[in-house]
Amino acid sequence: MSGSSTRRDLLGCAGGFLGAMALADEARAGGVDQGGKGSAKVEGEDYYDKLDVRKIINAAGTYTILTASTMPVSVQAAVAKAAKHPVRLLDLQKKAGEYLAQKLHCEAALVTAGASSALTLGTAACVDVMNNAPIQAVPSKVSGLGKNEILIQKAHRYSYDHALENCGAKFVEVESLDDYQKAFGDETVMAHFFNAAEGGQISREDWVRIAHQHGVPCFNDAAADVPPISNLWNYTQMGFDLVTFSGGKGIRGPQNAGLLLGRKDLVAAAMATNNPFDEGVGRGMKVAKEQIVGMVAAVDWFLSQTDEGMEAEFRRRADRICAELKAIPTLESKIFVPAVANHVPHLLLRYDQQHVKIAPLEVARNLREGTPSIELNPSTGRREGSAGLHSDENTIVVGVWMLEPGEDAIVGRRLREVLAGAVKA
Ligand SMILES: *Cc1c(COP(=O)(O)O)cnc(C)c1O
C-alpha cells in the first residue's frame, strides 16, 4: 500500500477531496507523520534484523522464554487491523468477554495479560467478593480482612504461587480429603487447583464439591492444558468458579494474553481490578486492544481446528523428522504425549552413545549454535523433564507443535548432520 492511499483511508468517506488536499498540505508543512511512507514502513521493517536478534526455529514448545507460540496468519491480520483504530476500551472488554463466554460455554470471560495475570485478578476477585471489600484493599489490607486463606493441595504448590500471593492472601496446605474437609473455616477465601499437577490425592470433582458445600469459590489453573479443545469448557462445566488458560500457548493468541473464565460476579470483580481502573492490583497488567482482539481471534481459530487434525499434523511432522534420520545407527524414535499440560505428540529420540558419540545436551547446543538456530525441547538430555515430559540424559526431545511449515525437514536435516558427524568410524 502506498503512503497516499493510507492517508486516504484515514480520512474515510467524509473527508473527501478537499480533506485529502488539506492533509497533503499538512504533510508538506511537516505536520503529522502517520509512519506510512514507503513500502518498508507499511509492511513493517524487520526489527529482529535491525536489532541483530537471532530468529529461531522453535522445536521446543510453548515456552515463554522462547516467546512461546506464534499467532496464526488470521490472528496476526486481526491484530494488525485492530491496531489501526481506537475504540472505547470498556466497550471492547465487555463485548469480547460476552463473545468468549458464549463460544466457551461459560457465564463470563475476561481477556487478561496472560494466565499468571488471570491468577492474580481472579484471586483479587475472590478476596473482594468474599469479604465485600473494595478493590483498593488488595494486597496491603488483606491480612486484616476476615477471609484471606487459600486452600491448596501440598502437591499443587508451584512456581505460580506468587501470582496468588500478590493479592496478600496466604496458602493453607492440605493432603488428604479429610484434611481438606477440616481445613475450611471463617478465613477461607478460595480453593486453588493446579490442573496439571502430577501429585495430589484429591480429585477435581471432590475439590469443587467440598468447596461448594462451604460456599467457597474454586479456581483451576489450566494454563497449558489445551488441546483437547473441549478443556476450554470442561472445567467450568465441572463447577470450577474460575478457570484460566494462557493465550500464548496452545491457543496461539498473543503471548501477553490469557483467559479468565467463570462466574459472572467474580469475572466482573476481576475486570474491576484490571486496567483501565487505577486503584486495582491489576492496573499494571494492561491488556491493550491488540491483545483483546488477538485473543478473541485466536479462540476463533482454535475452535476451527479439531483435536484429531492437530494430532495427525504433529505426527506427520515427527515422521518427516524421523525420515531424515533413517541412516543413524542404533537410533530409536518414540512418540510421547504428556498427560495433561502440552498434551500433544512429542518426538523422543534415543541412540547408543557407544556408536553415536555425542550426548543429547551437546546435540542441543550444536543445533542452537548452528544455522538456522534451532531450540530443542529443554527436557533434552535432562533427568528432570519439563511440563509433563519425562526424559533422561540419553534422550533428545523434539517439540513439533510450534514448528512453522517446512521447518520439520530443517530440524531433521540438522539432527542428521550433527548425529551422523558423531558416528564412530
Ligand atoms: C504457562 C503457565 C502459566 C502462565 O501463563 P502466562 O500466560 O504465560 O502468564 C500459569 N500456570 C501454568 C500452570 C502455566 O503452565
Side-chain angles (χ1 to χ4, degrees):
M1 194 197 289
S2 76
S4 62
S5 73
T6 304
R7 265 180 256 126
R8 217 172 293 134
D9 286 352
L10 280 166
L11 282 166
C13 26
F17 182 63
L18 286 176
M21 297 255 294
L23 195 64
D25 284 339
E26 191 187 8
R28 265 196 297 279
V32 187
D33 177 5
Q34 299 291 343
K37 278 182 217 134
S39 60
K41 282 188 179 171
V42 172
E43 279 159 28
E45 197 168 350
D46 191 328
Y47 271 83
Y48 296 141
D49 289 349
K50 187 169 187 169
L51 300 172
D52 194 24
V53 172
R54 234 178 150 198
K55 293 170 196 156
I56 60 171
I57 288 181
N58 181 358
T62 59
Y63 295 91
T64 298
I65 200 165
L66 301 174
T67 65
S69 57
T70 53
M71 295 181 282
V73 173
S74 64
V75 181
Q76 292 179 24
V79 169
K81 199 156 253 186
K84 289 178 194 286
H85 294 280
V87 292
R88 293 184 179 83
L89 184 58
L90 294 175
D91 189 27
L92 177 60
Q93 284 178 337
K94 181 169 170 286
K95 302 267 172 53
E98 286 165 2
Y99 182 90
L100 289 169
Q102 194 249 327
K103 291 270 173 182
L104 303 179
H105 318 300
C106 56
E107 261 184 49
L110 176 66
V111 179
T112 66
S116 188
S117 163
L119 292 173
T120 304
L121 297 179
T123 303
C126 291
V127 168
D128 291 346
V129 168
M130 292 292 282
N131 289 290
N132 197 18
I135 63 164
Q136 296 90 337
V138 177
S140 58
K141 312 253 170 10
V142 170
S143 59
L145 296 175
K147 297 180 190 294
N148 55 24
E149 290 182 358
I150 300 167
L151 300 186
I152 189 166
Q153 296 188 67
K154 193 169 181 197
H156 288 211
R157 296 298 299 268
Y158 63 159
S159 58
Y160 292 96
D161 283 356
H162 61 277
L164 296 93
E165 288 171 325
N166 276 348
C167 294
K170 53 183 189 288
F171 286 108
V172 173
E173 289 178 3
V174 300
E175 288 187 79
S176 68
L177 195 60
D178 190 46
D179 280 352
Y180 183 46
Q181 266 159 329
K182 287 181 181 144
F184 285 88
D186 291 340
E187 305 77 26
T188 314
V189 72
M190 189 180 119
H192 188 57
F193 199 94
F194 169 25
N195 197 53
E198 292 184 42
Q201 304 171 22
I202 308 169
S203 69
R204 295 177 185 91
E205 289 83 355
D206 284 342
W207 194 255
V208 170
R209 180 175 55 80
I210 292 165
H212 286 177
Q213 283 169 6
H214 295 274
V216 169
C218 288
F219 201 147
N220 190 5
D221 177 356
D225 305 346
V226 289
I229 295 165
S230 60
N231 273 357
L232 288 174
W233 46 88
N234 286 343
Y235 303 120
T236 44
Q237 299 208 333
M238 195 179 276
F240 280 98
D241 303 274
L242 291 172
V243 179
T244 183
F245 293 93
S246 182
K249 292 182 177 170
I251 307 172
R252 293 183 59 190
Q255 244 297 276
N256 54 347
L259 294 171
L260 180 66
L261 309 175
R263 235 168 72 186
K264 220 169 197 157
D265 60 333
L266 294 175
V267 171
M271 190 169 156
T273 205
N274 199 4
N275 82 102
F277 305 110
D278 293 341
E279 294 175 272
V281 71
R283 178 58 180 84
M285 305 173 186
K286 183 178 278 184
V287 192
K289 60 188 178 304
E290 292 83 359
Q291 280 104 63
I292 297 175
V293 168
M295 188 74 249
V296 176
V299 166
D300 275 344
W301 172 82
F302 195 60
L303 294 179
S304 76
Q305 307 295 302
T306 64
D307 293 336
E308 301 70 29
M310 286 189 283
E311 162 137 19
E313 167 59 20
F314 301 148
R315 283 180 185 271
R316 280 193 296 272
R317 293 179 191 177
D319 286 346
R320 283 194 287 262
I321 292 170
C322 289
E324 297 283 339
L325 302 174
K326 283 208 181 85
I328 306 296
T330 76
L331 187 106
E332 287 172 17
S333 67
K334 195 176 122 184
I335 294 290
F336 179 75
V337 181
V340 183
N342 308 301
H343 182 65
V344 289
H346 288 67
L347 175 62
L348 308 190
L349 300 169
R350 289 160 163 280
Y351 49 90
D352 184 345
Q353 286 183 42
Q354 299 292 323
H355 295 271
V356 186
K357 295 184 101 46
I358 185 168
L361 268 179
E362 202 44 28
V363 173
R365 197 177 61 78
N366 265 272
L367 262 60
R368 180 176 304 126
E369 290 172 2
T371 303
S373 179
I374 297 167
E375 283 292 336
L376 293 175
N377 187 278
S379 303
T380 295
R382 293 185 202 279
R383 192 173 277 282
E384 344 72 59
S386 113
L389 284 156
H390 297 278
S391 180
D392 58 46
E393 296 91 332
N394 295 313
T395 303
I396 292 174
V397 183
V398 189
V400 295
W401 63 322
M402 291 298 133
L403 293 173
E404 300 289 329
E407 288 181 344
D408 43 18
I410 300 172
V411 172
R413 174 173 57 77
R414 286 293 298 135
L415 280 170
R416 188 188 67 224
E417 285 168 6
V418 171
L419 292 171
V423 172
K424 207 176 147 199

